[in-house]
Amino acid sequence: MDQTPENATPSATSTASRTRTSGPEAPLVHAVNVMKSFHGTEVLKGIDLDVQRGEVVCLLGPSGSGKTTFLRCINQLEAIDGGRIWVDGDLVGYREKDGHLHHLTDKEVATQRRDIGMVFQRFNLFPHMTALQNVTEAPIQVKGVGRKQAQERAVQLLEQVGLGDKPSAYPAQLSGGQQQRVAIARALAMDPKLMLFDEPTSALDPELVGEVLRVMRDLAQQGMTMIVVTHEMGFARDVADHVVFMDAGVVVEEGKPQDVIGNPQHERTRSFLQRMRSEDREARDDEARADSQDV
């Protein structure tokens, strides 16, 4: 079925953005006026965002602000209701013809999606497969990579995420942090242009968070383009090139980490950061009390 998402104006948008969405100087991700509603409730209310190649962008904000929905729209796990998203010059989810948008076929969507890696809050590993098998499955089944080549690459990736000694382990035999690192290796096995992280440490025990963040820091240093939804303020401050604070489906404030986190200009941003710092202090106090009781 042909469809133009509401609020999109094909002729104006395509003319304005054609030069911005192609070529080596264009952003890898270019989102314009992205809108999404669920059952009549607006979740995204016109999101604009550019992500440059090799850049790490952290999305901050309270639960329900639309951060995860935006990631899912980039990866076509949700269809947008308005606006447009380009990834590496390709219009996500649609084909444009004669000023109208036409839905891509399922096969075309799958082709676009395989260039984007996504790591979820929950690890979503196949429980009946070993770590090695979890990493090799998509390259073999989706890209048609030979089994030997896929296994060699999987071994390299497991070593890269610090799990070179766990290729035969099943998910149930791994800690949460180890499972999340397998999930990262699995996403990398498809050689993505872009990595999306949806609060990858939120389901982990505090002592396991660091091992996942170290892998993500290494990816950033290697030049991987990343969009990260996170409540880890230290990671956002130290690793991100650009920070975006979202609330109630809109971008409230964005800029360099030292500006948004260190010197926020909007009251909503200041309130959120103060609450996060307070929660961090409470968590550290609880850990200190638990340690003293153990002694």
Side-chain angles (χ1 to χ4, degrees):
M1 182 178 73
D2 298 350
Q3 177 179 336
T4 299
E6 63 184 24
N7 301 309
T9 53
S11 58
T13 305
S14 93
T15 301
S17 56
R18 185 175 295 124
T19 57
R20 300 190 64 191
T21 58
S22 60
E25 302 302 320
L28 184 66
V29 180
H30 180 48
V32 179
N33 198 32
V34 175
M35 299 186 182
K36 179 65 181 178
S37 296
F38 293 106
H39 308 295
T41 300
E42 286 185 298
V43 178
L44 299 177
K45 303 174 184 178
I47 302 296
D48 295 330
L49 182 67
D50 281 354
V51 180
Q52 305 301 323
R53 298 168 194 275
E55 189 174 41
V56 178
V57 173
C58 283
L59 305 184
L60 311 180
S63 297
S65 59
K67 309 180 303 297
T68 292
T69 298
F70 183 59
L71 285 194
R72 292 175 63 85
C73 288
I74 294 173
N75 204 26
Q76 302 187 63
L77 297 175
E78 301 288 352
I80 62 175
D81 297 325
R84 300 189 182 184
I85 303 172
W86 288 263
V87 175
D88 199 20
D90 292 329
L91 182 61
V92 168
Y94 297 91
R95 179 189 308 104
E96 186 170 348
K97 184 178 180 181
D98 299 329
H100 294 281
L101 299 183
H102 307 264
H103 281 291
L104 296 182
T105 65
D106 290 345
K107 184 177 181 179
E108 290 170 327
V109 168
T111 298
Q112 284 190 340
R113 189 181 287 149
R114 72 184 189 183
D115 289 330
I116 303 173
M118 188 162 183
V119 178
F120 301 87
Q121 296 179 33
R122 297 291 176 176
F123 326 120
N124 294 343
L125 299 178
F126 295 115
H128 62 289
M129 293 184 178
T130 65
L132 186 74
Q133 290 169 335
N134 267 281
V135 177
T136 60
E137 180 70 5
I140 293 172
Q141 298 299 329
V142 177
K143 297 183 75 174
V145 175
R147 186 169 299 276
K148 180 180 179 181
Q149 180 182 348
Q151 289 177 340
E152 290 174 350
R153 174 67 170 149
V155 168
Q156 292 174 350
L157 289 170
L158 288 173
E159 289 177 351
Q160 180 178 332
V161 300
L163 294 173
D165 59 339
K166 300 290 185 180
S168 299
Y170 288 89
Q173 299 170 315
L174 300 172
S175 70
Q178 290 171 328
Q179 290 185 62
Q180 193 61 294
R181 285 185 281 157
V182 173
I184 293 173
R186 178 181 61 183
L188 292 173
M190 293 294 286
D191 295 318
K193 301 172 182 177
L194 170 69
M195 284 286 288
L196 307 176
F197 292 87
D198 182 19
E199 296 194 38
T201 61
S202 64
L204 301 180
D205 292 333
E207 64 270 19
L208 302 178
V209 169
E211 63 191 52
V212 174
L213 294 181
R214 278 193 295 274
V215 172
M216 294 171 63
R217 287 172 187 265
D218 289 343
L219 287 177
Q221 291 173 354
Q222 294 164 18
M224 174 63 71
T225 308
M226 301 160 58
I227 305 178
V228 183
V229 172
T230 185
H231 286 162
E232 298 292 339
M233 293 301 109
F235 177 87
R237 184 180 57 249
D238 298 340
V239 179
D241 300 293
H242 193 79
V243 170
V244 178
F245 174 69
M246 294 177 60
D247 192 15
V250 301
V251 172
V252 176
E253 189 167 349
E254 62 179 306
K256 293 188 177 300
Q258 60 265 33
D259 296 327
V260 176
I261 298 175
N263 186 30
Q265 300 302 301
H266 200 286
E267 176 56 34
R268 288 156 77 183
T269 315
R270 288 194 292 269
S271 176
F272 170 77
L273 292 172
Q274 288 170 358
R275 186 168 68 252
M276 293 301 300
R277 293 185 186 107
S278 176
E279 291 176 359
D280 286 344
R281 284 194 297 271
E282 290 177 4
R284 287 194 296 269
D285 290 345
D286 289 344
E287 288 181 27
R289 282 193 292 270
D291 290 343
S292 64
Q293 291 172 359
D294 290 341
V295 174

